[in-house]
Amino acid sequence: MAQWTSAVGAAQLARQLQAQQQRPAGPGSRRPPAYRALADGIRLLVLEGRVAVAARLPAERELALALAVSRTTVAAAYEALRAEGFLESRRGAGSWTAVPAGNPLPARGLEPLPPEALGSMIDLGCASLPAPEPWLTRAVQGALEELPPYAHTHGDYPAGLPALRQMIADRYTADGIPTMPEQIMVTTGAMGAIDAICHLFAGRGERIAVESPSYANILQLMREAGARLVPVAMEEGLGGWDLNRWRQVLRDAAPRLGYVVADFHNPTGALADEERRRALVDAARSAGTVLVVDETMRELHLDEDVAMPRPVCAFDPAGSTVLTVGSASKAFWAGMRIGWVRAAPDVIRSLVAARAYADMGTPVLEQLAVNWLMRTGGWQEAVRLRREQARENRDALVGAVRRELPEWAFSVPAGGLTLWVRTGGLSGSRLAVAGEGVGVRVPSGPRFGVDGAFEGYVRLPFTVGGPVADEAAQRLAQAARLVGAGGGAGVEAPRTFVA
């Protein structure tokens, strides 16, 4: 019986491997033999989770043809991986990826580290901040006071608590976008909202247009749902959407869905202006594509002089072309798993009906807590604290990276929680592996692309400040030196770091 549970094609693996070679490894690096470079490339893909563990690899001859190398090179690379514990084989069953005994399984997304690991590792993988107290405690206390009437009911509200649906609808109306509660469904976080939308609109094999780069966890969600992702390149820096490319993709690929982050894009931090928003909605409507607009970063404008454009749904208030997704997780706290969808009433009814076969509904107590925050003004105060903390962290991190790694390039966004950094010719995948060894966890650029794009980038979130930001930059600089010297594996883990 075969031990592999999935398979990776030769063409797909070749694209991922070739993307690693698009940028030089850095000054002073040693060029390894071809078989060693191939083995290292596959090992990196496994360590980063971009090739799954227990995935069947292509036959030697197929991969050799796809990479335009000799079969001997591929055979030697596979043998090296078997010797290191990253590949297992059996006659008649092929070869499949593995991890050596004692190694943690790689994460496919950007999961936060467990609390017990935070003493020795600075976690730059997860773009989330601690709760803005005392507002979390007050919200939970307020929710408990309001719980008794709901406790006498079945507690099953597939569309969300009526009071919270009304509250969210009123917030859109106050922003100049008339909204009824029938246009709102409360979900278990933004991920729950987008998962429900993908299952309703984009069955297995359907095309979904996505920004390139885009949010890693959403890309992985869509891949696992069986979608065919169509990347649409962003403009450089903070330019945002390239409308010509979007029009071409919508016209030629005819995707069923398009997923975009208009407000402080994750990972680049770009803010789309009103002209681009209107133009993209018009193009999607003409193509018959439904736009899923992720607004989870919208309230995190960090600079005082930011003029926020109207939400994308302002250009489709009925909600037939634009499905808006919001969440408490970024603006308030990641542990508050409350999200929502704004769409046309018939779309909401379809989403609610389909939910009976998924998660049934969202926890009542957390909905009451968010409703309490929004009703009492606690939400505005909590978001103000969140902005202050994120602004201070952003400024500290920017200063530390510029000081320790002056060859790295980036544009400083006016909001959001992430910095998209070009790493001066170094491999982001190798930096991620080397960083784990010296005590800093950082996601590499290819996690935010399709098929290995953005090898020369990393994403840095605004989650640490002060001395911790300085230490993080120093550890990143140490990882960069290791990668630049051709190393990065097997380095000794650091001692415990006390923030």
Side-chain angles (χ1 to χ4, degrees):
M1 180 178 176
Q3 301 298 306
W4 49 273
T5 57
S6 62
V8 56
Q12 177 189 0
L13 183 58
R15 286 195 300 270
Q16 291 178 294
L17 291 165
Q18 287 163 354
Q20 292 179 343
Q21 310 303 321
Q22 288 177 356
R23 294 183 177 277
S29 61
R30 301 184 298 272
R31 182 177 294 275
Y35 85 90
R36 184 70 260 173
L38 177 56
D40 288 347
I42 294 174
R43 177 170 55 86
L44 278 171
L45 293 175
V46 173
L47 287 172
E48 282 229 305
R50 291 187 285 124
V51 167
V53 176
R56 186 179 187 275
L57 294 186
E60 295 170 1
R61 187 184 303 277
E62 293 175 358
L63 186 57
L65 287 171
L67 291 171
V69 299
S70 71
R71 183 177 176 181
T72 303
T73 296
V74 177
Y78 280 14
E79 183 58 37
L81 289 168
R82 277 189 287 268
E84 296 165 2
F86 285 94
L87 196 68
E88 295 181 11
S89 304
R90 191 168 69 231
R91 185 179 298 277
S95 299
W96 56 92
T97 57
V99 293
N103 277 40
L105 287 175
R108 298 301 301 273
L110 303 177
E111 295 83 356
L113 286 172
E116 61 269 19
L118 294 177
S120 60
M121 184 74 68
I122 300 176
D123 187 8
L124 298 182
C126 187
S128 297
L129 291 163
E133 288 288 32
W135 294 106
L136 174 61
T137 300
R138 292 181 182 177
V140 173
Q141 291 171 341
L144 286 172
E145 292 174 1
E146 297 176 8
L147 182 60
Y150 295 93
H152 294 292
T153 74
H154 47 65
D156 186 7
Y157 298 91
L161 292 183
L164 182 56
R165 296 176 74 194
Q166 183 69 63
M167 181 64 66
I168 295 170
D170 289 347
R171 284 165 57 86
Y172 281 106
T173 300
D175 277 346
I177 308 160
T179 302
M180 304 178 294
E182 291 80 6
Q183 290 180 263
I184 302 295
M185 180 177 84
V186 180
T187 63
T188 308
M191 292 288 286
I194 294 170
D195 183 55
I197 291 169
C198 287
H199 279 89
L200 180 64
F201 283 90
R204 185 167 293 275
E206 290 276 8
R207 294 184 180 92
I208 301 179
V210 296
E211 298 153 323
S212 184
S214 187
Y215 179 37
N217 286 344
I218 294 296
L219 295 181
Q220 190 59 33
L221 181 156
M222 292 174 174
R223 290 187 187 102
E224 293 183 357
R228 298 166 61 189
L229 301 185
V230 184
V232 187
M234 300 279 285
E235 292 185 353
E236 284 293 324
L238 300 177
W241 301 328
D242 185 324
L243 265 301
N244 290 331
R245 286 175 172 165
W246 268 102
R247 291 188 183 100
Q248 180 179 356
V249 166
L250 294 174
R251 181 181 65 248
D252 296 346
R256 186 71 182 91
L257 291 178
Y259 170 75
V260 296
V261 184
D263 304 293
F264 309 119
H265 175 260
N266 185 355
T268 68
L271 177 65
D273 58 31
E274 282 206 10
E275 182 180 351
R276 282 184 170 89
R277 294 172 189 234
R278 185 192 303 275
L280 184 57
V281 171
D282 289 344
R285 185 182 292 114
S286 297
T289 297
V290 174
L291 280 182
V292 182
V293 180
D294 187 334
E295 284 191 342
T296 53
M297 296 283 189
R298 180 168 176 82
E299 296 192 68
L300 294 178
H301 42 89
L302 306 183
D303 293 339
E304 298 295 337
D305 59 349
V306 177
M308 289 299 296
R310 286 180 291 171
V312 178
C313 60
F315 306 102
D316 180 50
S320 56
T321 296
V322 175
L323 311 187
T324 303
V325 173
S327 172
S329 298
K330 296 299 184 184
F332 184 72
W333 183 49
M336 188 68 77
R337 304 305 304 162
I338 298 295
W340 55 85
V341 180
R342 182 199 181 275
D346 63 316
V347 173
I348 294 297
R349 286 193 294 270
S350 297
L351 288 169
V352 171
R355 193 174 196 178
Y357 309 101
D359 65 352
M360 299 292 291
T362 302
V364 169
L365 188 63
E366 292 187 28
Q367 292 188 70
L368 287 172
V370 172
N371 188 58
W372 183 92
L373 284 165
M374 292 180 173
R375 188 184 74 247
T376 62
W379 178 271
Q380 289 83 348
E381 288 300 311
V383 170
R384 181 183 60 80
L385 292 175
R386 170 67 74 240
R387 289 181 190 135
E388 291 176 359
Q389 185 178 13
R391 184 187 308 115
E392 291 174 1
N393 288 354
R394 179 197 63 180
D395 296 345
L397 185 66
V398 165
V401 172
R402 282 176 171 165
R403 181 175 61 253
E404 299 293 336
L405 292 150
E407 66 278 13
W408 287 16
F410 51 84
S411 299
V412 181
L417 289 172
T418 57
L419 196 67
W420 186 236
V421 181
R422 191 191 294 269
T423 56
L426 298 178
S427 161
S429 298
R430 286 175 165 78
L431 280 167
V433 173
E436 293 258 357
V438 299
V440 60
R441 181 173 181 254
V442 58
S444 68
R447 285 185 177 270
F448 304 89
V450 177
D451 282 343
F454 307 109
E455 185 61 55
Y457 290 81
V458 295
R459 190 196 73 171
L460 305 180
F462 309 146
T463 52
V464 297
V468 186
D470 293 336
E471 179 69 17
Q474 291 168 14
R475 294 185 186 187
L476 284 172
Q478 184 180 354
R481 288 192 293 271
L482 285 168
V483 173
V491 292
E492 183 180 354
R495 296 180 180 178
T496 299
F497 174 72
V498 180

